[in-house]
Amino acid sequence: MNRMNFSGTPPAVCSLMLAALVSVPVWAPAGARADDYQGATHMMPFEEDTIHYNKTPAEGAVPRLQRRIDDGTAQIEFHPRFGYLPGILRELGVSTNSQMLVFSKTSFQRERISPHAPRAVFYGDNVYVGYVVGSPLLEFTSVDPRLGGVFYTLEQNSKAKPRFVRTDACVECHASGKTMGVPGHLVRSFATDESGVVDLTTGTSLVNHRTPFEERWGGWYVTGRHGSQIHRGNLIGKEAFDRQEKEPNYLGNITDLSRFFDVGNYLTPYSDVVALMVMEHQTHMHNFLTRLQYEATISLQMYGHVNYLKTASEAFLRYLLFTEEAPIKGPVSGATRFAETFAAQGPCDHQGRSLRQFDLQTRLFKYPCSYLIYSDAFDALPDKLRERLYQRLFDILTGKDSGADFASIPGPTRQAVLEILRETKKGLPDYWKADKSRAAL
């Protein structure tokens, strides 16, 4: 999460816990691509009649958990040190190995955050959790299949039953051109001074899987191995960046963060590099799904069709299939079992292949198609748009589409993704399974 706005908090410092990643230090040029297609940064009218964001009761992981707490089927213990955090992570199915640590002051709790006391961020496929040492609040974003990101806090009060409080004030920052004009998430990274204060005067860029490795993680701690590849994590203050110029990776390839802060204040002592990379892909994919949901809903109401969404659909497919992914230039490995536990979630085909399997040699995933194709948000897309996406995806994977946009996907890779989806993706049109033709090799 990164910036979240609550009562009395100026929008300028609003930033949801999980949305703060982009590696562009104040004294370095920005290079990450911000736009996906023409119009992608224009605000959607989500508070108006068609979407009713503020008036619609939310669904998703957090509302489901609240119902279980209310009916007594979920009992959350209060940890003497971490409060409700460990129990809620277990109930949400969020692994502590997903922990990432951000020290830039990009939160409504900015006064509690510094390089000596970073904010911890955890996540699963459809939920993000933020923890600040000593704070009376936990922060949450739950992904509603139709509304997108919905924001909550929970008071760390041992004498009261856990209660998530929805706070739509967060959209003052978490619905902008940076989130594709919908309530969502932004992963950004900033250079900071020695106290974690960000200098916004030189500009920033957004981070997703298209961002070059060397531009990521300013303002974040990073643990794991990445060889000679340089990144901007673990660098605090201008002197640290200057030294990086002379001694590349002098704070890279580390697994021990105890030199920076008391790691005993956190559930794990790590900020896993692979967890960071997956989140960068995931947050933008969530925004993209929400944008398509809104645009298709409005288009169907106005015109009865989605014919005007061709450009948006093609851009989404390019992101879904990682066609513009920044290459990894050497082996990457995390400091925890995050990669192992993430990959084990499947689903797998009869050959044991899964869209969650990592490559981490030249790219993030072995089979370049986003695992969020299995998400409730994808399945909740209006039928006419989802059918169009399925047809286009089928044409691409079978080699019927020979256009330049998808030419970078090798034939055998297309075939593998096609076979995996045929066995593991529910709701595919009949022609996907009936057509046994192989992709062009």
Side-chain angles (χ1 to χ4, degrees):
M1 299 167 115
N2 237 345
R3 290 193 253 183
M4 209 183 252
N5 191 17
F6 299 95
S7 58
T9 303
V13 298
C14 167
S15 172
L16 172 65
M17 59 190 170
L18 57 151
L21 227 351
V22 170
S23 319
V24 185
V26 184
W27 37 86
R33 175 177 171 180
D35 297 331
D36 292 273
Y37 59 92
Q38 186 175 5
T41 59
H42 294 176
M43 290 297 297
M44 298 297 295
F46 59 89
E47 294 179 341
E48 298 180 8
D49 290 347
T50 303
I51 306 299
H52 283 300
Y53 177 85
N54 292 332
K55 298 178 182 178
T56 302
E59 290 299 326
V62 167
R64 286 194 296 268
L65 177 55
Q66 185 66 67
R67 289 194 288 269
R68 294 178 56 231
I69 292 172
D70 292 343
D71 66 22
T73 57
Q75 301 286 336
I76 314 294
E77 294 183 4
F78 192 87
H79 189 280
R81 187 165 194 177
F82 300 108
Y84 288 120
L85 177 64
I88 285 179
L89 290 178
R90 284 193 297 271
E91 292 295 333
L92 291 173
V94 175
S95 171
T96 57
N97 287 327
S98 70
Q99 177 180 281
M100 301 160 294
L101 299 169
V102 55
F103 57 81
S104 62
K105 290 182 179 293
T106 49
S107 166
F108 80 100
Q109 301 194 78
R110 66 192 310 273
E111 297 305 322
R112 296 179 180 271
I113 299 165
S114 73
H116 300 294
R119 184 201 303 125
V121 178
F122 307 85
Y123 70 99
D125 284 8
N126 295 297
V127 66
Y128 303 84
V129 182
Y131 169 77
V132 176
V133 175
S135 171
L137 296 174
L138 295 175
E139 308 168 49
F140 299 84
T141 301
S142 180
V143 180
D144 181 291
R146 290 180 172 82
L147 297 179
V150 182
F151 308 93
Y152 303 85
T153 60
L154 183 143
E155 186 178 359
Q156 293 269 51
N157 182 353
S158 63
K159 297 180 181 180
K161 181 182 289 188
R163 176 150 300 278
F164 297 96
V165 178
R166 179 173 171 176
T167 171
D168 290 343
C170 291
V171 299
E172 291 183 29
C173 292
H174 281 272
S176 70
K178 296 181 178 66
T179 64
M180 300 189 75
V182 298
H185 316 102
L186 52 150
V187 179
R188 299 187 294 170
S189 124
F190 307 92
T192 75
D193 67 14
E194 287 75 7
S195 67
V197 173
V198 172
D199 183 345
L200 298 175
T201 62
T202 58
T204 62
S205 64
L206 301 177
V207 168
N208 53 55
H209 68 235
R210 299 173 302 203
T211 306
F213 201 90
E214 61 270 18
E215 293 184 10
R216 306 186 191 196
W217 307 317
W220 291 75
Y221 288 117
V222 181
T223 57
R225 302 293 179 183
H226 45 84
S228 61
Q229 297 174 96
I230 297 172
H231 62 76
R232 295 169 178 163
N234 307 327
L235 301 175
I236 304 166
K238 187 177 186 303
E239 290 185 7
F241 281 94
D242 289 344
R243 182 175 173 183
Q244 167 103 320
E245 292 293 319
K246 300 174 182 178
E247 302 176 50
N249 268 336
Y250 85 100
L251 286 177
N253 293 300
I254 65 175
T255 57
D256 183 0
L257 296 174
S258 61
R259 74 183 79 177
F260 300 106
F261 59 91
D262 183 356
V263 297
N265 289 329
Y266 298 86
L267 292 181
T268 85
Y270 306 109
S271 184
D272 193 280
V273 63
V274 180
L276 282 161
M277 295 173 73
V278 172
M279 187 184 73
E280 291 162 352
H281 161 74
Q282 177 175 296
T283 51
H284 193 63
M285 177 58 78
H286 278 151
N287 293 346
F288 226 137
L289 286 165
T290 303
R291 179 79 188 206
L292 287 183
Q293 173 70 236
Y294 285 13
E295 290 206 17
T297 299
I298 292 171
S299 182
L300 287 167
Q301 184 186 72
M302 294 180 65
Y303 311 114
H305 61 74
V306 293
N307 296 341
Y308 299 134
L309 301 186
K310 179 179 178 180
T311 300
S313 298
E314 291 299 299
F316 172 78
L317 289 166
R318 291 195 299 272
Y319 193 80
L320 179 83
L321 296 173
F322 293 84
T323 62
E324 298 159 332
E325 179 182 11
I328 299 173
K329 300 176 183 178
V332 174
S333 60
T336 73
R337 296 183 61 214
F338 172 83
E340 180 181 341
T341 56
F342 180 90
Q345 294 177 52
C348 301
D349 69 3
H350 76 281
Q351 298 184 50
R353 299 176 299 182
S354 165
L355 298 184
R356 290 180 179 267
Q357 285 180 262
F358 289 102
D359 177 81
L360 296 176
Q361 305 292 317
T362 61
R363 60 191 184 199
L364 182 56
F365 291 109
K366 183 174 183 179
Y367 303 107
C369 178
S370 178
Y371 58 92
L372 288 185
I373 196 171
Y374 300 113
S375 68
D376 291 341
F378 182 89
D379 290 341
L381 291 172
D383 291 346
K384 289 186 178 180
L385 176 61
R386 193 174 63 255
E387 290 166 3
R388 171 169 291 188
L389 293 174
Y390 276 141
Q391 182 64 65
R392 287 290 298 122
L393 186 58
F394 181 76
D395 290 346
I396 293 163
L397 296 179
T398 57
K400 294 178 181 179
D401 182 321
S402 58
D405 282 350
F406 304 98
S408 62
I409 309 173
T413 300
R414 298 188 195 208
Q415 181 66 28
V417 172
L418 177 70
E419 292 171 353
I420 293 169
L421 289 174
R422 274 177 169 160
E423 289 193 38
T424 62
K425 175 59 183 161
K426 296 179 181 179
L428 287 174
D430 290 342
Y431 63 83
W432 270 70
K433 297 183 179 181
D435 187 332
K436 301 300 181 182
S437 64
R438 295 184 60 82
L441 301 181

